[in-house]
Amino acid sequence: MTFQVVIVDKDVRFPPHKLVPPDDPQYSSAHSPLPPLIPTSPLYPDGLIAPIWVRKHTTLVPSVFVMFMHIFEPSQNAPHSPLDPGDGDHEIEAEERMRDNELCAEIAQKKSTSERGVKLMVIPYHLISADNPSLDGRLTYIRRQSGLDPRAAPESCIAVRDRRLCTQMRRWICTWHSLLNPFSLQEALYEPALEYYTNHSKRVRRKRNRYSQAATSYVAPSLSGSKSAARPLRPEGWTVRYEYKMACFAEFRGEDEVALKHYQDAYSTLLLIFRSTAILPPRTKRWA
């Protein structure tokens, strides 16, 4: 599986997962804004797949979200005078703790990605030097206070020697070498990304199976008025949707043969739909 990397601001907001916010009592049973069931959906009532769905899963919603967080460091340029009061170190420690707490709060806000199954990984960086004994304790504190999974919060810090972060980050995106335990960032993110798309496929497969069973006993609803009035999507149409989605998720996982099989099944069902006026009435607004 090859990662597609999209660089975004840390305050980026993802598209809504469902029609209601997560704190709504109806959240668990609510639908996404895109299915043909929803009157405000561009697919309502008999569409198949909207281009925005593909864009959503390729550029808008990630399988893993990596945050590069700057660990606060006191200024190294201020001269230290023997006449300065002796509590300077305590003031520095107090400011470090305050900044670390702010960092924890910022990380906690992004932990909402877990509601969508998106893996959050935090990579701290230091602009001066990562070879600082106090950093270990601070990183442990940040990891515990923010409630991060230990696997999502490395135990050491990147040393960025200058402030040209874009160049630095592009280099570290592919391979991140921490001071204590060199490892590939892509290797660390591979399993969570694979699990993300596998879980999506399992969910879609369950829905497809339900519609496949319903197709044999389906009775088309009677509609008054014009014969060309759009009808709700039939089970065959839902099968096309689900086969296409499973093909995309398999392709994202790098399982090309599995993806091809789902694409072929979607295409075969689509041909069946277009060949039957009982399934797809002619001259509807969408399928004129």
Side-chain angles (χ1 to χ4, degrees):
M1 181 170 65
T2 302
F3 282 96
Q4 175 184 344
V5 179
V6 179
I7 299 177
V8 297
D9 188 85
K10 63 182 179 180
D11 297 323
V12 64
R13 299 185 65 180
F14 301 138
H17 183 43
K18 296 186 177 182
L19 287 171
V20 297
D23 56 354
D24 191 287
Q26 304 298 323
Y27 182 79
S28 60
S29 59
H31 291 283
S32 161
L34 295 180
L37 295 170
I38 309 302
T40 55
S41 167
L43 299 177
Y44 182 81
D46 59 348
L48 294 175
I49 289 287
I52 186 62
W53 184 89
V54 179
R55 181 168 174 256
K56 168 186 171 183
H57 286 284
T58 53
T59 61
L60 300 180
V61 179
S63 58
V64 289
F65 188 80
V66 182
M67 291 183 67
F68 289 87
M69 308 292 290
H70 175 217
I71 300 293
F72 169 76
E73 50 211 314
S75 173
Q76 301 294 312
N77 298 324
H80 182 74
S81 170
L83 300 179
D84 289 342
D87 59 352
D89 291 340
H90 295 291
E91 292 179 358
I92 291 176
E93 291 177 1
E95 185 172 8
E96 286 179 345
R97 181 53 55 92
M98 180 188 69
R99 297 297 185 92
D100 290 348
N101 284 329
E102 292 175 353
L103 199 61
C104 292
E106 192 172 347
I107 294 172
Q109 289 181 346
K110 276 301 174 187
K111 282 186 65 182
S112 60
T113 57
S114 61
E115 296 169 359
R116 310 181 72 127
V118 177
K119 180 73 171 181
L120 172 65
M121 174 170 276
V122 176
I123 298 182
Y125 68 89
H126 214 247
L127 288 175
I128 299 174
S129 173
D131 189 14
N132 186 332
S134 67
L135 282 178
D136 292 341
R138 292 177 63 191
L139 291 174
T140 300
Y141 175 82
I142 291 171
R143 185 169 61 250
R144 290 176 177 174
Q145 288 297 110
S146 58
L148 278 174
D149 183 335
R151 294 171 297 179
E155 298 179 355
S156 55
C157 193
I158 295 175
V160 180
R161 301 303 179 184
D162 57 47
R163 295 182 179 271
R164 292 173 294 179
L165 294 183
C166 290
T167 302
Q168 292 281 347
M169 293 313 171
R170 287 194 182 96
R171 187 179 68 184
W172 288 109
I173 279 286
C174 297
T175 304
W176 175 43
H177 296 281
S178 70
L179 294 177
L180 302 178
N181 184 23
F183 71 97
S184 166
L185 179 57
Q186 289 199 28
E187 290 178 4
L189 299 179
Y190 178 83
E191 288 298 330
L194 191 66
E195 181 181 3
Y196 175 83
Y197 291 121
T198 300
N199 289 339
H200 269 303
S201 290
K202 290 179 179 178
R203 176 181 54 81
V204 173
R205 184 178 293 107
R206 288 194 296 268
K207 292 183 177 181
R208 182 205 59 183
N209 292 341
R210 287 201 300 268
Y211 274 99
S212 297
Q213 295 170 2
T216 57
S217 58
Y218 178 80
V219 178
S222 58
L223 298 176
S224 58
S226 173
K227 293 183 179 180
S228 63
R231 300 180 181 181
L233 193 63
R234 285 178 54 107
E236 294 86 354
W238 287 99
T239 298
V240 172
R241 278 177 55 83
Y242 295 141
E243 291 290 350
Y244 182 85
K245 288 184 177 184
M246 287 191 291
C248 288
F249 293 138
E251 192 172 357
F252 296 160
R253 296 193 304 269
E255 300 175 4
D256 294 340
E257 292 185 3
V258 176
L260 178 60
K261 178 63 168 61
H262 285 302
Y263 280 131
Q264 289 173 337
D265 290 344
Y267 184 71
S268 298
T269 308
L270 193 60
L271 290 180
L272 174 65
I273 292 174
F274 285 142
R275 288 170 180 167
S276 172
T277 56
I279 298 177
L280 185 66
R283 298 179 182 177
T284 62
K285 182 177 180 180
R286 186 182 303 276
W287 302 106

PDB file of all heavy atoms in Angstrom, residues 67-88:
ATOM      1  N   MET A  67       0.302  14.506  13.215  1.00  0.00           N
ATOM      2  CA  MET A  67       0.486  15.885  13.671  1.00  0.00           C
ATOM      3  C   MET A  67       1.937  16.090  14.103  1.00  0.00           C
ATOM      4  O   MET A  67       2.449  15.351  14.949  1.00  0.00           O
ATOM      5  CB  MET A  67      -0.437  16.191  14.854  1.00  0.00           C
ATOM      6  CG  MET A  67      -1.901  16.262  14.515  1.00  0.00           C
ATOM      7  SD  MET A  67      -2.907  16.705  15.971  1.00  0.00           S
ATOM      8  CE  MET A  67      -2.355  18.392  16.258  1.00  0.00           C
ATOM      9  N   PHE A  68       2.597  17.067  13.513  1.00  0.00           N
ATOM     10  CA  PHE A  68       3.924  17.471  13.958  1.00  0.00           C
ATOM     11  C   PHE A  68       3.747  18.624  14.942  1.00  0.00           C
ATOM     12  O   PHE A  68       3.276  19.694  14.569  1.00  0.00           O
ATOM     13  CB  PHE A  68       4.782  17.899  12.766  1.00  0.00           C
ATOM     14  CG  PHE A  68       5.193  16.761  11.879  1.00  0.00           C
ATOM     15  CD1 PHE A  68       4.378  16.334  10.844  1.00  0.00           C
ATOM     16  CD2 PHE A  68       6.393  16.108  12.086  1.00  0.00           C
ATOM     17  CE1 PHE A  68       4.744  15.282  10.026  1.00  0.00           C
ATOM     18  CE2 PHE A  68       6.777  15.054  11.276  1.00  0.00           C
ATOM     19  CZ  PHE A  68       5.951  14.640  10.249  1.00  0.00           C
ATOM     20  N   MET A  69       4.101  18.384  16.191  1.00  0.00           N
ATOM     21  CA  MET A  69       3.859  19.353  17.255  1.00  0.00           C
ATOM     22  C   MET A  69       5.181  19.909  17.779  1.00  0.00           C
ATOM     23  O   MET A  69       6.098  19.152  18.113  1.00  0.00           O
ATOM     24  CB  MET A  69       3.093  18.697  18.406  1.00  0.00           C
ATOM     25  CG  MET A  69       1.832  17.962  17.987  1.00  0.00           C
ATOM     26  SD  MET A  69       0.543  19.063  17.380  1.00  0.00           S
ATOM     27  CE  MET A  69       0.058  19.886  18.887  1.00  0.00           C
ATOM     28  N   HIS A  70       5.249  21.229  17.852  1.00  0.00           N
ATOM     29  CA  HIS A  70       6.458  21.879  18.350  1.00  0.00           C
ATOM     30  C   HIS A  70       6.484  21.854  19.876  1.00  0.00           C
ATOM     31  O   HIS A  70       5.571  22.350  20.530  1.00  0.00           O
ATOM     32  CB  HIS A  70       6.517  23.320  17.845  1.00  0.00           C
ATOM     33  CG  HIS A  70       7.669  24.105  18.391  1.00  0.00           C
ATOM     34  ND1 HIS A  70       7.575  25.437  18.714  1.00  0.00           N
ATOM     35  CD2 HIS A  70       8.947  23.732  18.686  1.00  0.00           C
ATOM     36  CE1 HIS A  70       8.743  25.861  19.181  1.00  0.00           C
ATOM     37  NE2 HIS A  70       9.584  24.847  19.173  1.00  0.00           N
ATOM     38  N   ILE A  71       7.532  21.263  20.432  1.00  0.00           N
ATOM     39  CA  ILE A  71       7.730  21.265  21.879  1.00  0.00           C
ATOM     40  C   ILE A  71       8.350  22.600  22.279  1.00  0.00           C
ATOM     41  O   ILE A  71       9.396  22.989  21.751  1.00  0.00           O
ATOM     42  CB  ILE A  71       8.659  20.113  22.316  1.00  0.00           C
ATOM     43  CG1 ILE A  71       8.059  18.770  21.913  1.00  0.00           C
ATOM     44  CG2 ILE A  71       8.908  20.160  23.814  1.00  0.00           C
ATOM     45  CD1 ILE A  71       6.802  18.421  22.629  1.00  0.00           C
ATOM     46  N   PHE A  72       7.704  23.297  23.201  1.00  0.00           N
ATOM     47  CA  PHE A  72       8.194  24.616  23.613  1.00  0.00           C
ATOM     48  C   PHE A  72       9.612  24.516  24.169  1.00  0.00           C
ATOM     49  O   PHE A  72       9.968  23.582  24.886  1.00  0.00           O
ATOM     50  CB  PHE A  72       7.277  25.211  24.680  1.00  0.00           C
ATOM     51  CG  PHE A  72       7.845  26.439  25.336  1.00  0.00           C
ATOM     52  CD1 PHE A  72       7.837  27.656  24.686  1.00  0.00           C
ATOM     53  CD2 PHE A  72       8.423  26.356  26.604  1.00  0.00           C
ATOM     54  CE1 PHE A  72       8.373  28.790  25.287  1.00  0.00           C
ATOM     55  CE2 PHE A  72       8.962  27.477  27.212  1.00  0.00           C
ATOM     56  CZ  PHE A  72       8.937  28.695  26.552  1.00  0.00           C
ATOM     57  N   GLU A  73      10.410  25.523  23.825  1.00  0.00           N
ATOM     58  CA  GLU A  73      11.774  25.603  24.341  1.00  0.00           C
ATOM     59  C   GLU A  73      12.071  27.051  24.709  1.00  0.00           C
ATOM     60  O   GLU A  73      11.723  27.971  23.965  1.00  0.00           O
ATOM     61  CB  GLU A  73      12.768  25.109  23.293  1.00  0.00           C
ATOM     62  CG  GLU A  73      12.565  25.739  21.928  1.00  0.00           C
ATOM     63  CD  GLU A  73      12.965  24.803  20.806  1.00  0.00           C
ATOM     64  OE1 GLU A  73      14.030  24.201  20.912  1.00  0.00           O
ATOM     65  OE2 GLU A  73      12.204  24.688  19.838  1.00  0.00           O
ATOM     66  N   PRO A  74      12.676  27.288  25.854  1.00  0.00           N
ATOM     67  CA  PRO A  74      12.998  28.661  26.251  1.00  0.00           C
ATOM     68  C   PRO A  74      14.062  29.249  25.340  1.00  0.00           C
ATOM     69  O   PRO A  74      14.842  28.528  24.715  1.00  0.00           O
ATOM     70  CB  PRO A  74      13.510  28.507  27.688  1.00  0.00           C
ATOM     71  CG  PRO A  74      13.988  27.100  27.771  1.00  0.00           C
ATOM     72  CD  PRO A  74      13.089  26.305  26.864  1.00  0.00           C
ATOM     73  N   SER A  75      14.083  30.555  25.262  1.00  0.00           N
ATOM     74  CA  SER A  75      15.051  31.237  24.414  1.00  0.00           C
ATOM     75  C   SER A  75      16.467  30.958  24.898  1.00  0.00           C
ATOM     76  O   SER A  75      16.761  31.002  26.094  1.00  0.00           O
ATOM     77  CB  SER A  75      14.779  32.746  24.424  1.00  0.00           C
ATOM     78  OG  SER A  75      15.797  33.435  23.732  1.00  0.00           O
ATOM     79  N   GLN A  76      17.329  30.661  23.940  1.00  0.00           N
ATOM     80  CA  GLN A  76      18.728  30.392  24.276  1.00  0.00           C
ATOM     81  C   GLN A  76      19.607  31.629  24.109  1.00  0.00           C
ATOM     82  O   GLN A  76      20.806  31.580  24.351  1.00  0.00           O
ATOM     83  CB  GLN A  76      19.267  29.283  23.353  1.00  0.00           C
ATOM     84  CG  GLN A  76      18.487  27.989  23.456  1.00  0.00           C
ATOM     85  CD  GLN A  76      18.633  27.348  24.814  1.00  0.00           C
ATOM     86  OE1 GLN A  76      19.736  27.210  25.336  1.00  0.00           O
ATOM     87  NE2 GLN A  76      17.514  26.955  25.406  1.00  0.00           N
ATOM     88  N   ASN A  77      18.997  32.732  23.695  1.00  0.00           N
ATOM     89  CA  ASN A  77      19.798  33.928  23.406  1.00  0.00           C
ATOM     90  C   ASN A  77      19.913  34.879  24.583  1.00  0.00           C
ATOM     91  O   ASN A  77      20.781  35.735  24.616  1.00  0.00           O
ATOM     92  CB  ASN A  77      19.182  34.686  22.218  1.00  0.00           C
ATOM     93  CG  ASN A  77      19.175  33.833  20.961  1.00  0.00           C
ATOM     94  OD1 ASN A  77      20.101  33.060  20.735  1.00  0.00           O
ATOM     95  ND2 ASN A  77      18.127  33.984  20.155  1.00  0.00           N
ATOM     96  N   ALA A  78      19.010  34.729  25.542  1.00  0.00           N
ATOM     97  CA  ALA A  78      19.021  35.668  26.661  1.00  0.00           C
ATOM     98  C   ALA A  78      20.215  35.381  27.567  1.00  0.00           C
ATOM     99  O   ALA A  78      20.392  34.258  28.040  1.00  0.00           O
ATOM    100  CB  ALA A  78      17.724  35.538  27.453  1.00  0.00           C
ATOM    101  N   PRO A  79      21.091  36.373  27.813  1.00  0.00           N
ATOM    102  CA  PRO A  79      22.257  36.143  28.677  1.00  0.00           C
ATOM    103  C   PRO A  79      21.823  35.930  30.118  1.00  0.00           C
ATOM    104  O   PRO A  79      20.853  36.513  30.590  1.00  0.00           O
ATOM    105  CB  PRO A  79      23.079  37.424  28.510  1.00  0.00           C
ATOM    106  CG  PRO A  79      22.083  38.469  28.117  1.00  0.00           C
ATOM    107  CD  PRO A  79      21.044  37.764  27.303  1.00  0.00           C
ATOM    108  N   HIS A  80      22.537  35.066  30.806  1.00  0.00           N
ATOM    109  CA  HIS A  80      22.236  34.773  32.205  1.00  0.00           C
ATOM    110  C   HIS A  80      23.247  35.495  33.086  1.00  0.00           C
ATOM    111  O   HIS A  80      24.452  35.273  32.985  1.00  0.00           O
ATOM    112  CB  HIS A  80      22.302  33.268  32.451  1.00  0.00           C
ATOM    113  CG  HIS A  80      21.955  32.894  33.864  1.00  0.00           C
ATOM    114  ND1 HIS A  80      20.673  32.927  34.342  1.00  0.00           N
ATOM    115  CD2 HIS A  80      22.741  32.492  34.898  1.00  0.00           C
ATOM    116  CE1 HIS A  80      20.656  32.550  35.610  1.00  0.00           C
ATOM    117  NE2 HIS A  80      21.911  32.279  35.972  1.00  0.00           N
ATOM    118  N   SER A  81      22.763  36.382  33.916  1.00  0.00           N
ATOM    119  CA  SER A  81      23.636  37.174  34.778  1.00  0.00           C
ATOM    120  C   SER A  81      23.711  36.550  36.165  1.00  0.00           C
ATOM    121  O   SER A  81      22.712  36.034  36.675  1.00  0.00           O
ATOM    122  CB  SER A  81      23.100  38.613  34.886  1.00  0.00           C
ATOM    123  OG  SER A  81      23.801  39.314  35.901  1.00  0.00           O
ATOM    124  N   PRO A  82      24.888  36.595  36.799  1.00  0.00           N
ATOM    125  CA  PRO A  82      24.994  36.081  38.177  1.00  0.00           C
ATOM    126  C   PRO A  82      24.108  36.843  39.149  1.00  0.00           C
ATOM    127  O   PRO A  82      23.808  36.351  40.235  1.00  0.00           O
ATOM    128  CB  PRO A  82      26.482  36.275  38.511  1.00  0.00           C
ATOM    129  CG  PRO A  82      27.172  36.398  37.200  1.00  0.00           C
ATOM    130  CD  PRO A  82      26.187  37.025  36.270  1.00  0.00           C
ATOM    131  N   LEU A  83      23.700  38.064  38.762  1.00  0.00           N
ATOM    132  CA  LEU A  83      22.866  38.869  39.648  1.00  0.00           C
ATOM    133  C   LEU A  83      21.385  38.523  39.533  1.00  0.00           C
ATOM    134  O   LEU A  83      20.574  39.017  40.317  1.00  0.00           O
ATOM    135  CB  LEU A  83      23.063  40.366  39.334  1.00  0.00           C
ATOM    136  CG  LEU A  83      24.505  40.887  39.497  1.00  0.00           C
ATOM    137  CD1 LEU A  83      24.567  42.366  39.124  1.00  0.00           C
ATOM    138  CD2 LEU A  83      24.998  40.677  40.930  1.00  0.00           C
ATOM    139  N   ASP A  84      21.041  37.696  38.529  1.00  0.00           N
ATOM    140  CA  ASP A  84      19.638  37.306  38.376  1.00  0.00           C
ATOM    141  C   ASP A  84      19.207  36.474  39.578  1.00  0.00           C
ATOM    142  O   ASP A  84      20.010  35.737  40.156  1.00  0.00           O
ATOM    143  CB  ASP A  84      19.443  36.482  37.099  1.00  0.00           C
ATOM    144  CG  ASP A  84      19.584  37.351  35.861  1.00  0.00           C
ATOM    145  OD1 ASP A  84      19.494  38.584  36.005  1.00  0.00           O
ATOM    146  OD2 ASP A  84      19.804  36.791  34.771  1.00  0.00           O
ATOM    147  N   PRO A  85      17.933  36.575  39.973  1.00  0.00           N
ATOM    148  CA  PRO A  85      17.452  35.756  41.088  1.00  0.00           C
ATOM    149  C   PRO A  85      17.588  34.273  40.768  1.00  0.00           C
ATOM    150  O   PRO A  85      17.527  33.850  39.621  1.00  0.00           O
ATOM    151  CB  PRO A  85      15.986  36.170  41.238  1.00  0.00           C
ATOM    152  CG  PRO A  85      15.631  36.840  39.962  1.00  0.00           C
ATOM    153  CD  PRO A  85      16.889  37.453  39.431  1.00  0.00           C
ATOM    154  N   GLY A  86      17.737  33.456  41.779  1.00  0.00           N
ATOM    155  CA  GLY A  86      18.008  32.035  41.595  1.00  0.00           C
ATOM    156  C   GLY A  86      16.815  31.209  41.190  1.00  0.00           C
ATOM    157  O   GLY A  86      16.949  30.005  41.002  1.00  0.00           O
ATOM    158  N   ASP A  87      15.631  31.813  41.089  1.00  0.00           N
ATOM    159  CA  ASP A  87      14.446  31.031  40.735  1.00  0.00           C
ATOM    160  C   ASP A  87      14.176  31.044  39.237  1.00  0.00           C
ATOM    161  O   ASP A  87      13.081  30.713  38.800  1.00  0.00           O
ATOM    162  CB  ASP A  87      13.224  31.554  41.487  1.00  0.00           C
ATOM    163  CG  ASP A  87      12.940  33.022  41.170  1.00  0.00           C
ATOM    164  OD1 ASP A  87      13.785  33.645  40.491  1.00  0.00           O
ATOM    165  OD2 ASP A  87      11.883  33.519  41.596  1.00  0.00           O
ATOM    166  N   GLY A  88      15.185  31.425  38.439  1.00  0.00           N
ATOM    167  CA  GLY A  88      14.983  31.455  36.988  1.00  0.00           C
ATOM    168  C   GLY A  88      14.635  30.095  36.426  1.00  0.00           C
ATOM    169  O   GLY A  88      13.785  29.973  35.541  1.00  0.00           O
TER     170      GLY A  88
END
